[in-house]
Amino acid sequence: MNRCKLILLVMCFPCLTLLGQTRNGALHLFHDEMKTNYPSVVYDFLERYLYTVSNSTDGFMLKQQMADDKVFVTSGSLSNIKRVSPNTPFSLLRHEDAAYDVSWTDESGNILLGLQFPIKYELLLGQPKVDIEKTMPKLLEMYSSSFEARNLASSYEALSDGYFSSSPVVKFYVESLTTATYYQKGTGETMIPVFSSKQKWYSSANLFQGLIADIADYRLYVEQNLYGFNQQTYTVPLARWLNYCKENNLTVYYAIEDEREDGLKALLIAQNRDLGFNHLLSIVIPDNFTEKKNAVLKAKLNAFIPTDNVKDLYQQYVNKPKKQL
């Protein structure tokens, strides 16, 4: 397994808390400012998981649970949890999209405790998918409805129609589902994001990739599929969805499926590599969306798809007969 470039070495900071202090059912192993670092969810997971481990009274059940979770001690000992504090040197290593390795060392550099655990969002969040997916409306409400457009691409590739695409572009299984954003030349050598009725395909990609600043009145109407063939519906400002994707480091892949008299039908996959899940949206975009800045964009959402399963779900989606609405 190749190791990802992410290696975080954490320095010691002064701390007034006691070793192994607990709060709200979790150990206090990291300074609050450290827990905002990328990937922030790992720190909360470790404090919660190791609290459970340190309070277990049944060694056999603990061993079985850790085996089921695929949480392995790679070095040191669980008995050293009590020696770990926010001042203890800590390192984190990521193995691509498969697993995290973490370790704490003493003053001499000896490893007190080393762990490896998979990048699985149910494990890291401490909840099953059936519960996590229901939180999506409240999750989106946490993000601002004001929006600042992302930076323009730093390099470009000329297209055959006279426009330009960001370069390089990352693809998701198929050629058309990509991270591309689109531009036209302004005065001099400046590049301007495409957003006009003359190029709706490129404009819609730029809109959902967060490249358009004036989006305050756009709304996203969501029909979200839930476990057990249930569904929940809600409407949120498009800005909140885009801010959610941006602040959680989601990679957005976008493609146009169909252009109809009433507008565009698009497919969007938002991938969270830190937690190992994906959101899949089928979106209907009104024909006049570039002029009507308060347009309602309708989306069918399958949320929190494990990365291991997203390819199969995507194939089921594209192979399903499409209805002309």
Side-chain angles (χ1 to χ4, degrees), residues 155-219:
S155 57
Y156 308 90
E157 177 182 350
L159 303 175
S160 59
D161 56 7
Y163 291 91
F164 295 82
S165 167
S166 54
S167 179
V169 166
V170 182
K171 300 171 184 177
F172 192 93
Y173 294 130
V174 293
E175 290 290 319
S176 60
L177 193 58
T178 75
T179 58
T181 50
Y182 300 93
Y183 306 83
Q184 58 191 14
K185 274 196 173 181
T187 57
E189 294 300 316
T190 61
M191 287 290 187
I192 302 172
V194 176
F195 198 70
S196 74
S197 59
K198 295 180 180 179
Q199 258 298 353
K200 295 176 213 174
W201 288 41
Y202 294 168
S203 299
S204 67
N206 285 345
L207 180 65
F208 278 94
Q209 290 289 0
L211 210 61
I212 308 304
D214 185 15
I215 65 165
D217 295 325
Y218 284 109
R219 294 291 181 270

Side-chain angles (χ1 to χ4, degrees), residues 124-136:
L124 296 174
L125 296 178
Q127 289 181 284
K129 181 181 188 298
V130 65
D131 293 333
I132 295 172
E133 62 183 10
K134 293 176 184 177
T135 67
M136 197 70 195

